[in-house]
Amino acid sequence: MAIFRLVIRRLLSSTPLLFMVSALTFVLVSLVPGDPARTIVGQHATEEQYRTVRGQLGLDEPLPVQYWHWLVRVFHGDLASSLFSGEPVTSVLNNRLPVSISLIVAGTVVSGILGVALGLLSARRGGFLVRIVDGLSLIGLAVPAFWLALVLIAVLAVQLRWFPVTGYVPFADDPAQWARSLVLPVMSLSVGAVAIIAKQTRDSVLDTSTRDFIRVMQANGFSPRSILYRHVLRNAALPVVTVLGVVLVSLLSAAVFVETVFAMPGLGSLTQQATIQHDIPLIQGAVLYITVLVVLVNLLVDLAYGRLDPRVRAA
Amino acid sequence: MSTAAKRPGLLARVVRRPSGAAAIGWLVLLTAATAGASFTAPRGPLEQDLGHVLAGPSGGHLLGTDNLGRDLLSRLLFGGRSTLLAVAESLLVYLVIGTVLGLASGYLGGWVDWLVTRTADLMFALPGIIIVLVVLSVFPGNLHAAMITFGVLGSPGLIRILRSQTLGIREELYVAAAKVAGLTRSQILRRHVLPRMTSMVIVQAALFSAIVVTIQAGLGFLGLGAQPPDPSWGGLVADASQNIDRDPWMLVPAGIPLVITVIALGLLGDAIRDAAIEGWSVSKMAAPPGRTVPAPRSAEDAVAPVEGSIEPDARALLSVRNLSVEIGGIPVVQGVSFDVMAGETLGVVGESGCGKSVTALGVLGLVPGGGRVAGGQVVFDGVDLAGSPAELARVRGSGIAYVSQEPMVALDPTFPVGRQLAEAVRRHSRADRRTTRAAAHRRVIELLTMVNIPDPEAVAGRYPHQLSGGMAQRVAIALALAGDPKLLIADEPTTALDVTVQAEILTLLRGLQAETGMAVLIVTHDWGVVADLCHRSVVMYAGQVVEQADVESMFTLPLHPYTAGLLAANPHLAGGGEPLPTIPGTVPAPRDWPQGCRFAARCSRVTDACAAAPVALTRPVPDRLTRCVHSQQLLVEGTPR
C-alpha cells in the first residue's frame, strides 16, 4: 500500500507541470496573429454575424475562462481536429504514439544496459575503458543526433546496405523488419545517452565503494563478488536511476530529429510537420501527450527509486 | 590591486593550456570569418557554378559544391552569421535571467527562493525543443522568438548553480572577513567572491552556447530556420541529406564545422574551469611567510629501533611489528608494534588524527583513502597477513572481525538487516553451501539474541534506517560475531552513541568476551572505556606508539607526558570543583611531523634534547614502554595529576 500512496503522491505533485505546460501553450496560441472569427465569417459579414461566431467560438470570454473550457474539453478526451487533415487530434496522436514509444523504450534499454556495463567495467578496470567513456561523451555532446544519423545512413545503409535507409515497419507486420528498421535510429539516439549513463555509473560505483558499510563488509569477510554485485551496485544504482530519467526525457527531444531523419511516423516527426504547417490544435495535442510521457517517466523513476531504497518507500 | 596584478589573469591561464588555446583560436577565427563573410567568402552564398554541381573539393571550390553548384565554403561562412546571432540572443537571455534569479534566490531566500526554485525545477523537466516548436508554430519563421525562448528554457541550469554558490558565499563571507585582516568587505567581494562567480558563469555560458549551436542547426535542419535559398548550417545538413545517395561527401563540410565548434565550446568551458580552480588554489596554497612545510621523511629516518621487540611474539594471538601505513604517499602510521594475547582486551588510545583507526584497519589490510600498508608484519595465529591478500581474505570475518564507529552507516541501507546477517552466516559457516535458508535464519536469530536484541524475529526484517543507533550497533556486533572470530577489532564502537547506550554496549562487549573467549582490540579516546574493559593499553600520538602498559600502571603512573595530559583531561577521573585541564595545541598533521619528539610543541617538560633527534621507545620498567627522553625522571618523581 506504501507503493500505492507513493504513486498517488507523485501524480499529484506532477500536476503543476501539466498545468504549466498546458497554460503556457494556451497563452502562446492565443498570441497567434489574426482573428479566427473574422477569418470564418469573411470580410463582408456584418458586425452582428461576427459577434455571433466569436461567441460560438468562446472568443469573447476572458482568457482564463477560455482556458478552463479548453481544459474541460481535454478531460473529455476532445483535443479538437487537425487544421490540416481534419482528423481528430487524438486519433492522429494515438496512431503515432507506438512508433515513438518503440524508439524511446529501445533507446533507453540499449543505452541503460551498455551504459551501466561500460561504467561498471571502467570503474573496476580504469585505463583505456575510461578513455572510451570520455571519448563517447565528447561525441555525445558534440555530434548532433541528426548529423550522426545521416552519417550512419550514408555508411551503413547507402554504402553497405545493412539496414534500410529510412522508414518504419510496425511490430505487428514483421517483428524482424521492425527490429532492423529500429537499429540505426536507436544507434543515433543512444550514443550520448550511453556516455552519460556510463559516466554516472562509474562515479557512483567509485563513490559507493568508499562508504563505511562496504568497508565493514570487506573487514568481515563478505565475498568480493557479492560486495560488488549485490551491495555496491544496488546502492550505486540510485543516482544512476535519476540520470536515466533525465536521459529518457532528453530522448523525447532527440526523437524529434531522429524520427524526421528516418521518416518514422512518430510523435516527434508529427510535431515537426505540424510546426511547419502551423497546425495549432495538433501541436497543442502533441505537447500534451509528450508532457504526459514526461510525467510518466518521472513516475517510473520514482517507483524504481522506491524499489531500490527502503528509506524512500517509508517516507 | 598590486597583488591581483602579479598573478596572470584568467584569460592568460586559459590560453596557456593547449586545449584552451586551440578552442579560443577556432572560435575567434570562426567569429571573424563569418561576421566578415562578405570579405572572407570566396563567392556569394547564392552564386551558382552549374559546371560544378555536387563537386568534391577542388582549387575553385575548397569544400566542394552543392546540388545547385553553390560554393559550400561560402555558404558555410554566410550561414554562420545566423548561428552567431542565435547564440548571442539565447545567451543574453540565459545570462540575464540566470544571474538575476540565481543571485536573488540565493541571497534573498524566503518565498522568492521557494518560487524561483520550484519554477526552475518544473522548467528543468520540460523537453525544451518541443516548447521551441510550439513557439515556432505560433510565430512562423521567427527564429528570434525561438532562440529567446530557448534562452529562457535553459536558464534554470544557471539559476541552480548560482543559487547554491550564493548560499555558500553568504556563509563564507563572514569567515573570510574574520580571517583576512585589513580587507574590507567590498574588497573581499571584489577580490575573492566575484572572480569565482564570474569564471563559473563563463563556464556555464560556454557550455550553454554549445547547446544553442546544436539546437539552432537542428531547427535549420528541420526546415524551421533560415528559409531557402538563404544559407544556414542546419540547412546545409538538410541539403546534404537530400543528396546522401549521390554525394555523401557533402555531409562532411556540412557537419564537421558544427561538430568542431561544439567541441571547442566544450573544451573552452573545461579550460576555464581548470584555470579558475588553479587560480584559487594558487592563492589558497601560498604558505604564509615564516612557516616552512617539512618534507615527509621515510619511515627509517624517524623510527628508532624498539629494544627487544623486533621479532613477533609467538605466544600472542596478534603480533604487530613495525607497521607503517601511507596515504597518498605520506606516512600516517610509522613503526607501530603491539601484541594482543588470546582472550585479552587491548585499548588503543589517543586524540583524533593520531592514527588509531588507520592502525586498526591496517591490521585488516583495509586502509581508507586509497592508502596502503607500507611495511611491517601483522602476524595472526602464526601467519603474517601483511601483503598477503589470500591470507587476509581467509582471516577476515572468521579470524578477525570488525565493528566500526558509526553504526548508522555500517549496514547496507538497501537490505533488511536479517538478510545481511544471513549472508555473513552463510559465508562463514563450515557446512558452506549446505547451510539451508532455515539453518541460516536460526543462526541469525541466535546471533541477534546473543547481542540482547529484544524481538529478534521482528528486528531481522527491519532496514537499518528503522533501527536506533544502539540497536544498529548491536546488529553490527552480531554481524561481526557471525564468523566466530578469535579477535574483534572495535573502532570507537560507542563514540556515536548516547551515554546510557554507550554503557549498555560496553556491558554487552564484556559479556560476549566472557562467553566466547575472543580477544578485543578497542580503539577509543575515552579512558572510561579503557578502565572498564581493557587489560592493557597502547597510547598513540602522531602516528607512533608513545606509551604501552597494563591499565592499572598507566593510570597510576603514566610514563609519557602525553598520557599524563590525556588522563588529566579526562572528565571521569578529574577532581570535582576544579576546571578541567586541557593539553594546549593540536595534533600535528602527518606532513608537519617534526624530526624530534612529536609531542614536544605541546609538552610542559620540553627541553632542547626533545627536539634534537627522533626519540626511541624505551623500557624503563619491565613490561612498560615509553617514547620520552624524560622517562627516568617521570619514573622517579611521578607525574602530578
Side-chain angles (χ1 to χ4, degrees), chain A residues 43-102:
Chain A
Q43 286 295 313
H44 307 293
T46 61
E47 184 65 18
E48 192 151 338
Q49 283 171 317
Y50 167 70
R51 279 182 186 286
T52 315
V53 173
R54 238 177 104 77
Q56 278 164 0
L57 291 175
L59 292 175
D60 50 353
E61 287 175 300
L63 203 58
V65 178
Q66 289 185 37
Y67 175 61
W68 174 249
H69 288 318
W70 180 81
L71 265 188
V72 170
R73 282 202 305 278
V74 168
F75 271 107
H76 289 94
D78 176 12
L79 289 175
S81 296
S82 160
L83 294 183
F84 197 71
S85 67
E87 264 185 280
V89 165
T90 44
S91 74
V92 179
L93 293 172
N94 289 342
N95 285 335
R96 298 281 192 136
L97 195 57
V99 182
S100 294
I101 297 212
S102 303

Side-chain angles (χ1 to χ4, degrees), chain B residues 146-482:
Chain B
M147 294 331 289
I148 288 170
T149 308
F150 197 72
V152 177
L153 291 172
S155 60
L158 187 60
I159 292 178
R160 281 182 175 185
I161 287 173
L162 282 183
R163 172 180 176 270
S164 61
Q165 278 295 308
T166 318
L167 278 176
I169 282 170
R170 261 178 76 190
E171 311 294 315
E172 214 176 287
L173 260 187
Y174 297 100
V175 182
K179 271 189 182 162
V180 189
L183 279 185
T184 65
R185 204 180 151 90
S186 69
Q187 277 173 313
I188 294 168
L189 255 171
R190 208 172 54 236
R191 220 174 270 178
H192 296 271
V193 178
L194 285 182
R196 204 188 296 191
M197 285 272 209
T198 313
S199 59
M200 192 156 301
V201 171
I202 297 174
V203 170
Q204 292 305 314
L207 299 178
F208 182 69
S209 302
I211 300 173
V212 174
V213 170
T214 324
I215 288 293
Q216 194 262 355
L219 291 176
F221 172 74
L222 293 178
L224 298 166
Q227 292 305 307
D230 289 343
S232 75
W233 287 10
L236 282 173
V237 179
D239 289 349
S241 77
Q242 295 304 314
N243 301 298
I244 198 164
D245 42 351
R246 282 182 293 161
D247 178 30
W249 160 256
M250 204 181 147
L251 271 178
V252 176
I256 295 293
L258 177 61
V259 172
I260 296 180
T261 307
V262 175
I263 291 182
L265 285 165
L267 288 179
L268 180 65
D270 286 351
I272 296 170
R273 184 174 47 218
D274 294 349
I277 289 171
E278 178 193 289
W280 312 329
S281 46
V282 163
S283 56
K284 262 189 196 160
M285 294 287 282
R291 185 162 158 267
T292 52
V293 181
R297 291 168 307 271
S298 66
E300 287 84 340
D301 286 348
V303 178
V306 182
E307 297 137 32
S309 62
I310 301 296
E311 285 301 309
D313 189 337
R315 295 162 303 161
L317 176 64
L318 174 75
S319 192
V320 175
R321 287 296 172 273
N322 274 317
L323 180 71
S324 295
V325 178
E326 290 180 3
I327 296 178
I330 295 169
V332 293
V333 164
Q334 287 182 327
V336 166
S337 302
F338 59 84
D339 297 318
V340 183
M341 300 295 160
E344 181 192 41
T345 303
L346 178 74
V348 179
V349 193
E351 289 165 282
S352 303
C354 286
K356 310 184 299 287
S357 295
V358 175
T359 302
L361 284 165
V363 168
L364 285 161
L366 293 169
V367 184
R372 64 186 189 96
V373 172
Q377 287 168 289
V378 178
V379 178
F380 179 77
D381 239 359
V383 182
D384 188 4
L385 306 179
S388 168
E391 291 298 337
L392 276 170
R394 192 180 55 79
V395 162
R396 284 178 197 158
S398 54
I400 309 178
Y402 172 77
V403 173
S404 76
Q405 193 176 125
E406 291 275 352
M408 298 312 284
V409 293
L411 299 163
D412 185 338
T414 62
F415 284 93
V417 296
R419 283 191 48 198
Q420 302 183 46
L421 286 169
E423 190 180 342
V425 165
R426 273 204 291 274
R427 176 81 176 159
H428 295 303
S429 63
R430 307 278 172 269
D432 207 15
R433 299 225 174 275
R434 278 183 299 163
T435 311
T436 60
R437 192 171 278 268
H441 183 72
R442 270 200 305 279
R443 174 72 174 141
V444 168
I445 300 303
E446 192 184 302
L447 285 168
L448 288 174
T449 315
M450 269 175 87
V451 295
N452 298 337
I453 296 263
D455 185 359
E457 286 284 353
V459 170
R462 290 198 197 141
Y463 287 95
H465 74 275
Q466 294 168 317
L467 303 177
S468 68
M471 286 272 254
Q473 193 60 298
R474 284 170 196 274
V475 173
I477 293 171
L479 186 85
L481 295 178

